[in-house]
Amino acid sequence: MTEAPLVSLASLDTLWFQVSGTLCNIACTHCFISCSPQNHSHEMMTLADVEERLDEARAIGVREYYFTGGEPFMNRDMIAILEKTLRQGPATVLTNGMLLPPAVCRKLKELFDASDYSLDIRISIDGFDRASHDAIRGPGVWDRVMTGIANLVAAGLNPVITVTTAAEGVETSEGRMRFLELMRTFGIDKPRLKVLSLFRIGAEEKRSRAYADWERLSSDMLETGDAGSLQCASGRMVTSRGVYVCPILIEEEGARMGDRLADAQRPFPLRYGACHTCWVDGVTCTT
Amino acid sequence: MRFAFIGGIYSNYWALRATLDDISRRGVDGVWFLGDLGAFGPHPDRIPELLIERGMPGIQGNYEESLSSRAEDCHCGYTDPRDSHYAQISYDYTFANTSDAHKDWMGTLPREIRFQAGGKRFLLVHGSPRRINEFLWRSTSPDPFLERLCVESEADVIVCTHTGLHWHRPLPGGRHVVNAGVIGRPANDGRTNVWFAVVEVNGGAVTAEFVPVEYDHRRLAGEMQKERLPGEFIETVLTGWWTTCLEVLPPKERAAGRF
């Protein structure tokens, strides 16, 4: 076994917050961190937790902020956190779309209009219909997501829809066209679509399979491309437990880099199966 | 001291002529082009011909880098297949219609230009100081980030283009970033004019003015039609609304357009 290649943090451009920890109102069968209503592995973050890292990020000159979970809108401080963040940079929230009543959507639109910086909402969908979506996300979820999307659109926001490759055929141009058409039926007139790879860790490991031993990166493999395009070369993830190398590996103790952003500047060894997926699929979790 | 900056030209010959006329009428202390001479428009060879004839200094954009190295695509930095589809049509047409001599000339252009004026260190780049195809949009380029780019690149005033949309940000520390916009296509605002930038340094103060340029856009559209360029490109020229390369827009900029 050769040693794992190291990737340097060229520039901290993207800062992620695991803002609702691993707590989620649903338990998707493909979740790479097995989020659920009972998973307290990483706890909910407070406004003060986020502010502390935002101060540090401002001094470093971070470009953009992403909020994920779990389900970010389970965090009671979410609106206040966004308000604070948008004063210093653009923000994106990754949500399952179930906790978006009209009042929340109207508030998000107010934040969108009031800020010089972009606010983006990203909603995850799996499959082309209720049956395939709910098979992964649980019964009744599709209908609630459709309501959430309708509320966002009614408030004047245009969410990005993300779909994982669990939706068969979505990577082909025909599949994409089909999905874009579907989005128009939701009332979205400027459909924005992002396709995400699956990571064979967490719940997904049980749904499909674990990474095989050969699914690891070597230095030779990295010579054929630009390691600077890997998200660990330009981003870090903050959770209630500290700073991690990326949004994917927060259940790996070896991916925890310290308590503060200043502790998390050193190069990272790409020793995990998920690193293989990022490199081979060219994954970026940003929009 | 006043300087004019011409962003992406995208083979828009008539807009370039109108822009140069405007600049010579107002009288400035220097003019530079910022790269991406080709794309979207017809007859790409007319642009380097005119720039060489006028002896105008300027830098490479990702288009010149790709054309001069005979690359297979524009390296525009798009990530969505819809953006890449139209970008490829544009690049293939431009590649096929640019002479070898002009491609070689593009390879001789610098990637950045630095000069000092009024005690300010100017840095001209295409995308950003660190990447030729980085998009510096107004709504995703916060002050602390721009400040960092200025500090790391040792510049007081950064002038860039690449996104197609113009803006100016005076930073709290007294530095400035100016995206000069482009004269190649309208600014996705339902108006057919294009924009260039004039930056003035006066007693240590830096101001930026964006100048709208009207040009014979119908003539350009007619030429594009004759060259069988995509109807989507022609529609943009005629309506002022972007129809392609939209997926890369951040939400605020996307919301401002029609498509």
Side-chain angles (χ1 to χ4, degrees):
Chain A
M1 183 82 195
T2 55
E3 226 165 90
L6 283 174
V7 169
S8 299
L9 179 66
S11 156
L12 183 45
D13 287 350
T14 307
L15 190 60
W16 288 79
F17 288 94
Q18 191 74 20
V19 76
S20 70
T22 38
L23 289 160
C24 193
N25 53 337
I26 53 175
C28 303
T29 60
H30 65 4
C31 185
F32 57 85
I33 40 177
S34 308
C35 293
S36 77
Q38 293 84 34
N39 188 345
H40 287 269
S41 171
H42 296 261
E43 294 290 356
M44 203 68 83
M45 295 181 74
T46 65
L47 175 60
D49 294 338
V50 174
E51 280 175 335
E52 208 176 317
R53 293 289 83 79
L54 283 178
D55 288 345
E56 215 187 334
R58 189 169 54 241
I60 291 175
V62 167
R63 182 171 192 182
E64 54 180 2
Y65 302 93
Y66 280 77
F67 296 91
T68 186
E71 170 47 47
F73 286 105
M74 282 174 72
N75 190 318
R76 287 164 202 270
D77 289 340
M78 197 58 227
I79 295 291
I81 287 170
L82 286 176
E83 208 163 0
K84 182 82 189 183
T85 304
L86 285 166
R87 283 184 213 152
Q88 80 178 50
T92 299
V93 188
L94 278 55
T95 169
N96 61 32
M98 294 171 71
L99 304 176
L100 294 170
V104 169
C105 295
R106 282 196 298 271
K107 186 65 204 171
L108 291 172
K109 179 62 163 61
E110 275 174 36
L111 293 178
F112 181 97
D113 289 339
S115 172
D116 283 342
Y117 302 130
S118 272
L119 167 63
D120 217 358
I121 310 294
R122 246 167 71 176
I123 296 187
S124 309
I125 285 183
D126 283 297
F128 293 94
D129 52 25
R130 180 184 287 113
S132 52
H133 181 84
D134 286 359
I136 285 177
R137 294 186 167 253
V141 174
W142 173 268
D143 291 337
R144 289 186 64 184
V145 177
M146 290 306 118
T147 305
I149 293 174
N151 290 342
L152 278 175
V153 172
L157 291 169
N158 180 24
V160 175
I161 304 293
T162 56
V163 56
T164 65
T165 49
E168 224 164 283
V170 72
E171 282 173 297
T172 65
S173 84
E174 199 181 39
R176 295 182 73 94
M177 286 306 286
R178 199 175 147 204
F179 214 87
L180 290 168
E181 279 314 305
L182 177 68
M183 287 160 68
R184 288 186 196 280
T185 68
F186 303 158
I188 297 174
D189 65 349
K190 300 174 181 173
R192 301 161 67 214
L193 174 66
K194 179 175 170 69
V195 178
L196 289 170
S197 292
L198 291 164
F199 291 92
R200 300 183 188 285
I201 48 178
E204 174 65 12
E205 183 175 329
K206 298 182 193 75
R207 194 185 74 98
S208 57
R209 64 166 175 82
Y211 282 107
D213 287 344
W214 60 268
E215 287 171 303
R216 294 291 186 278
L217 292 173
S218 63
S219 299
D220 311 356
M221 292 173 76
L222 260 62
E223 278 167 18
T224 60
D226 174 18
S229 66
L230 283 164
Q231 53 185 345
C232 44
S234 62
R236 288 294 183 256
M237 161 61 102
V238 177
T239 87
S240 62
R241 281 163 42 187
V243 184
Y244 288 73
V245 67
C246 75
I248 306 300
L249 293 173
I250 63 169
E251 292 298 24
E252 294 290 350
E253 215 27 55
R256 187 180 183 283
M257 305 199 75
D259 294 326
R260 301 172 315 124
L261 299 182
D263 306 330
Q265 309 281 318
R266 65 181 181 278
F268 182 77
L270 302 173
R271 65 168 85 95
Y272 300 96
C275 303
H276 186 268
T277 299
C278 267
W279 180 249
V280 173
D281 290 4
V283 174
T284 169
C285 300
T286 58
T287 304
Chain B
M1 305 253 277
R2 294 202 308 162
F3 307 112
F5 300 101
I6 302 173
I9 302 171
Y10 305 161
S11 299
N12 192 336
Y13 178 71
W14 303 109
L16 177 59
R17 291 278 297 263
T19 300
L20 294 177
D21 287 349
D22 187 309
I23 291 171
S24 56
R25 274 197 305 274
R26 64 183 62 227
V28 293
D29 301 294
V31 189
W32 290 265
F33 64 86
L34 302 174
D36 277 3
L37 313 183
F40 297 109
H43 311 303
D45 264 340
R46 291 190 296 196
I47 306 302
E49 254 164 43
L50 185 54
L51 295 173
I52 293 167
E53 182 194 310
R54 302 280 175 109
M56 186 184 294
I59 55 173
Q60 272 183 8
N62 50 288
Y63 247 77
E64 289 68 55
E65 187 184 59
S66 286
L67 289 167
S68 62
S69 62
R70 274 66 170 177
E72 284 176 6
D73 67 69
C74 66
H75 297 132
C76 292
Y78 299 133
T79 53
D80 189 278
R82 288 170 288 177
D83 286 349
S84 301
H85 170 77
Y86 286 102
Q88 196 61 46
I89 293 175
S90 206
Y91 183 75
D92 290 345
Y93 171 85
T94 308
F95 190 92
N97 291 282
T98 300
S99 71
D100 275 332
H102 283 150
K103 282 177 187 149
D104 292 341
W105 169 78
M106 288 168 184
T108 68
L109 295 170
R111 283 175 71 100
E112 61 171 50
I113 288 178
R114 289 174 186 269
F115 63 89
Q116 293 221 14
K120 300 286 180 191
R121 299 165 300 171
F122 278 72
L123 170 60
L124 317 186
V125 293
H126 180 72
S128 79
R130 56 189 196 173
R131 267 206 339 265
I132 199 166
N133 66 353
E134 182 168 27
F135 293 96
L136 295 186
W137 306 100
R138 183 206 290 265
S139 86
T140 55
S141 301
D143 289 357
F145 167 69
L146 294 176
E147 197 84 58
R148 166 158 64 97
L149 290 186
C150 288
V151 170
E152 285 175 355
S153 62
E154 299 177 334
D156 302 311
V157 183
I158 294 173
V159 188
C160 62
T161 176
H162 191 54
T163 64
L165 299 177
H166 55 274
W167 52 269
H168 167 216
R169 184 83 55 73
L171 296 169
R175 296 186 171 93
H176 294 258
V177 178
V178 178
N179 189 316
V182 296
I183 65 161
R185 65 170 178 170
N188 198 22
D189 57 1
R191 298 167 56 177
T192 55
N193 66 273
V194 295
W195 300 82
F196 71 94
V198 174
V199 176
E200 182 163 359
V201 200
N202 195 348
V206 176
T207 52
E209 179 194 358
F210 297 104
V211 182
V213 179
E214 303 288 348
Y215 71 100
D216 194 346
H217 63 281
R218 288 197 185 82
R219 184 169 185 178
L220 180 79
E223 291 175 349
M224 290 168 80
Q225 236 147 12
K226 280 201 192 109
E227 287 297 293
R228 300 189 178 181
L229 286 161
E232 288 86 345
F233 295 176
I234 298 167
E235 189 183 336
T236 296
V237 167
L238 291 174
T239 63
W241 296 113
W242 292 4
T243 53
T244 60
C245 303
L246 281 164
E247 301 312 314
V248 70
L249 286 175
K252 248 189 168 359
E253 283 80 355
R254 184 76 186 263
R258 179 185 285 173
F259 300 107

